[in-house]
Amino acid sequence: MNDIKLYEKIPVDEFPIRLLEFEKDSFVFPLHWHEHTEIHFIFNGTAEIRCGDKIMKLKANDCVIVNGNELHEGLGGSCDRGCIILPPSFFENNRVTFNIMICDKVITELVTKIFSEFREQDSVTSLSLKGYTYLLVSYLLRHYSTKVFTEPSYRQHFEKLDKVNNVIKYINENYVDNITTSELADIVHISEGHFCHIFKEITGKTAKEYLNSIRIKKAAALLSETSMTVTEVAYCCGFSDSNYFARIFKKYTGHTPSAVRHLN
């Protein structure tokens, strides 16, 4: 599955904890997934993130946990934040999931200590980081774990993710075409009803909503970067009716196509 566009292969490192810190960062990143557990902590500012079928608005001291094998994307906002990325081995390979959004004084204290140590980078940094991170994970397991997957249920979830990823790859490559849910279901060899249920469960969107979101992103880029007319942009992005395109564009962006052009 490593060739699937949405899959992010996180490098294996001798030190198991990967820490990233961002100041005044735009909280926008593309839809993707990986096996690692990703913990975002907002120090200041606001952000919006999609995890699976949930969209969450974050503020200072909020923590959001992206469980392993979960599609997620940053939808916007500006914030100071820290990100802790942990491999499955850090949980002794238990297939555990957590509540997604948490605001907890203990977590705030532990995350603050983790990033304080991270900034110090002295001779005992690695030991301190491991110690505080194990305390954080232990606290999360005690108070915020929601499910431990059995191997069969984990494989079932992974197979759903695999199917959805193959469909999303197809949509991204063929968004100009008249794509139907029946056609998408055939790609992954399941019934149309079952496909619609799985796609919504994994992504939080219907296949039609996802297709339209891709088309609108492409259209916004064309409006900004070319001199094509609105009608030409609509046809290039898979819309056969320019009036319908204008309605969908405004629904997704809050602006008319003409207004977006004049903004640039």
Side-chain angles (χ1 to χ4, degrees), residues 15 17 117 122-134:
F15 189 66
I17 305 163
E117 288 291 336
D122 59 21
S123 59
V124 296
T125 293
S126 62
L127 288 174
S128 296
L129 286 177
K130 282 184 181 179
Y132 285 128
T133 304
Y134 273 117

Side-chain angles (χ1 to χ4, degrees), residues 35-84:
E35 291 98 340
H36 289 51
T37 297
E38 192 171 285
I39 302 171
H40 292 273
F41 186 85
I42 308 300
F43 293 106
N44 289 292
T46 60
E48 189 172 38
I49 188 171
R50 178 192 297 277
C51 294
D53 63 350
K54 296 180 175 64
I55 295 177
M56 288 149 288
K57 296 182 184 296
L58 310 173
K59 61 185 184 309
N61 296 323
D62 281 344
C63 173
V64 62
I65 301 179
V66 180
N67 292 302
N69 296 330
E70 183 170 52
L71 280 170
H72 56 288
E73 64 179 320
L75 299 175
S78 178
C79 57
D80 299 333
R81 64 184 171 101
C83 181
I84 305 170

Side-chain angles (χ1 to χ4, degrees), residues 1 4 6 33 71 155-171 183-191 194-203 207:
M1 289 183 59
I4 294 174
L6 298 181
W33 69 278
L71 280 170
R155 292 307 310 171
Q156 185 180 47
H157 175 76
F158 196 83
E159 287 166 8
K160 289 179 183 178
L161 189 62
D162 189 17
K163 292 182 189 301
V164 168
N165 272 273
N166 284 327
V167 166
I168 286 177
K169 182 182 179 186
Y170 180 84
I171 290 174
E183 178 184 351
L184 296 175
D186 287 343
I187 290 170
V188 289
H189 311 296
I190 57 178
S191 71
H194 187 39
F195 163 74
C196 290
H197 175 76
I198 287 175
F199 195 92
K200 184 69 182 290
E201 176 188 342
I202 296 295
T203 68

Side-chain angles (χ1 to χ4, degrees), residues 25 34 42 47 52 59 62 70 89 153 174 202 213 224 231:
D25 181 53
H34 41 67
I42 308 300
K59 61 185 184 309
D62 281 344
E70 183 170 52
S89 59
S153 62
N174 300 278
I202 296 295
S213 71
S224 300
T231 299

Side-chain angles (χ1 to χ4, degrees), residues 168-183:
I168 286 177
K169 182 182 179 186
Y170 180 84
I171 290 174
N172 276 271
E173 293 173 350
N174 300 278
Y175 65 90
V176 175
D177 299 335
N178 181 26
I179 301 173
T180 65
T181 53
S182 175
E183 178 184 351

